[in-house]
Structure formats: C-alpha cells, structure tokens
Amino acid sequence: LAKTTQPVSMDSYEGQEVNITCSHNNIATNDYITWYQQFPSQGPRFIIQGYKTKVTNEVASLFIPADRKSSTLSLPRVSLSDTAVYYCLVGAGDTGRRALTFGSGTRLQVQP
Amino acid sequence: ETGVTQSPTHLIKTRGQQVTLRCSSQSGHNTVSWYQQALGQGPQFIFQYYREEENGRGNFPPRFSGLQFPNYSSELNVNALELDDSALYLCASSQPGQGNNEQFFGPGTRLTVL
C-alpha cells in the first residue's frame, strides 16, 4: 500500500487560499488520490479525487504533477467553517468497494 | 435521500462487557464499512460487508464481529471490551459500481470503556 505523508497541522486566515501537499512516493500505476475532510465529532466527508493533472469541483482543486509522487489540495478563500482535518488517501479509484487507509491527516485551523 | 445514521451516539461500558453498535446505510447502498478512530488519529478499517457477506477485514481481533441485514443495515459487535477499545466507531455506506463510488460516513458512536 502506498504510504502518504502530509503536514501535521496548518494555520490560515479567512479569505486566504490554502494548499495542503501530500507525498506518496510509492504510488502504484492504478492508484488514485482521494481527499477526505473531517469536522470534529463527525465522520469524514469525500472532497475530491484525481489520477493526474488537475481536478476541480465546487469545493476544491487537486493538483497532481506528472510523476504523481505528490499531490496538492487547494482550498480557495477559506472560511472559519473550513477548520477541519484533511486526509490524503492513495489507492484504487473505486473507493466504494475497498477499505480506505487513513493516515493522521492535516489539521487546518482557520482564524478570523 | 436519508444519510447514514448510527446508534447510539454515546456509550459507556466497563472492561469485559460486550457492546453492539448499529448503522443504517444510505438509501440504495448495499455496502457497509466499519472504522475505529482513536483520539487524534485517522480512522482504521475494521471490516466491510457487501450484500450480507464479509468482504474484507482489517487488523482487528476476532472479538470484533459484524452482521449485515437484508435491508443492508449493519451491526458491529465487540466482545470482552478492553480499555483500548475506547474510540469513535464510524460506519460508512457505499454502492460500488455506480458513477459515484465514494463512501458516505455516519456521525459515529463514541464508545468509552472504563
């Protein structure tokens, strides 16, 4: 299984763009990169998934370089409600049918 | 569309007791996964059920067992509780094969073992 490394914590202010980078040097050819968000006392929530280049949805963007050994989750103009733990996961793309392997995540604290 | 629900919300047990946690999957989802999340850590996979059959298991002892019912709801049973079993237990449902393959998590059950 591809191991992921991400910063333990990050601080930001409202309105700023936040970029969280995840390293996954041993990513396999068939692996996808998936990000989940977890608020206190809630279950994780799917944010975005990608295989290569750039993926964008209404919540975030995911940037994946050509070698795929890292990825960056970009949150535009964060607000206080974006304070949460963000997890980077690497594995098969059909995340509905397989076990999700979570690391310790990145704790993002957004301040006013 | 009803989301994933779990019961109870909180539970306090003593060491050696047994506990049953319940999960109702999101409407239309036939797969349920259970995770254990210790304080300050990411969720750890316990097992997954697909159409009432166990479909994968993580590194948890046999005293962690489960069931899935015909309506796809599920139970997690833990026997001979230990202090280290204190954690947030998360249930996630999914419907593999459809366009959106993500797992949808419930709010969790907070188990405290004294």
Side-chain angles (χ1 to χ4, degrees):
Chain A
L1 291 175
K3 180 179 170 60
T4 60
T5 303
Q6 42 181 135
V8 172
S9 63
M10 295 182 69
D11 292 310
S12 183
Y13 292 94
E14 282 191 292
Q16 289 189 332
E17 178 184 75
V18 171
N19 295 307
I20 306 174
T21 298
C22 178
S23 296
H24 28 79
N25 291 317
N26 297 323
I27 189 168
T29 303
N30 295 330
D31 284 344
Y32 282 70
I33 299 137
T34 309
W35 286 80
Y36 274 76
Q37 173 193 54
Q38 185 176 25
F39 298 114
S41 300
Q42 293 187 28
R45 182 176 73 107
F46 173 93
I47 300 177
I48 197 166
Q49 182 182 78
Y51 182 80
K52 62 180 180 180
T53 62
K54 176 184 175 182
V55 179
T56 298
N57 62 22
E58 64 279 5
V59 176
S61 295
L62 178 59
F63 298 91
I64 305 168
D67 67 4
R68 304 198 331 119
K69 293 184 182 300
S70 67
S71 59
T72 299
L73 175 73
S74 181
L75 305 172
R77 298 180 299 280
V78 295
S79 64
L80 296 177
S81 62
D82 292 315
T83 294
V85 178
Y86 292 82
Y87 296 97
C88 167
L89 290 75
V90 173
D94 55 344
T95 56
R97 66 170 73 249
R98 65 172 177 86
L100 299 180
T101 302
F102 290 85
S104 298
T106 297
R107 189 170 302 273
L108 173 65
Q109 180 69 49
V110 179
Q111 299 181 11
Chain B
E1 183 177 89
T2 305
V4 178
T5 60
Q6 293 185 243
S7 62
T9 306
H10 296 87
L11 200 55
I12 300 175
K13 292 286 189 177
T14 57
R15 207 168 36 170
Q17 285 189 310
Q18 178 265 343
V19 68
T20 297
L21 310 182
R22 295 177 175 83
C23 170
S24 291
S25 60
Q26 185 163 317
S27 177
H29 287 184
N30 60 15
T31 301
V32 171
S33 305
W34 285 92
Y35 295 81
Q36 179 196 66
Q37 186 173 25
L39 201 59
Q41 298 182 19
Q44 300 299 305
F45 175 72
I46 302 175
F47 44 56
Q48 182 181 82
Y49 279 84
Y50 171 67
R51 292 184 176 179
E52 303 179 58
E53 296 289 329
E54 188 176 287
N55 186 44
R57 187 179 183 93
N59 188 27
F60 280 82
R63 58 189 185 85
F64 285 78
S65 63
L67 281 173
Q68 188 179 31
F69 300 99
N71 67 354
Y72 303 133
S73 64
S74 178
E75 286 183 356
L76 165 65
N77 299 290
V78 187
N79 294 322
L81 284 167
E82 301 177 0
L83 297 180
D84 285 348
D85 295 333
S86 295
L88 180 68
Y89 288 85
L90 295 161
C91 164
S93 76
S94 55
Q95 180 71 2
Q98 292 188 348
N100 188 344
N101 285 320
E102 65 182 89
Q103 293 189 19
F104 293 83
F105 284 81
T109 293
R110 172 74 61 190
L111 173 64
T112 301
V113 182
L114 303 176

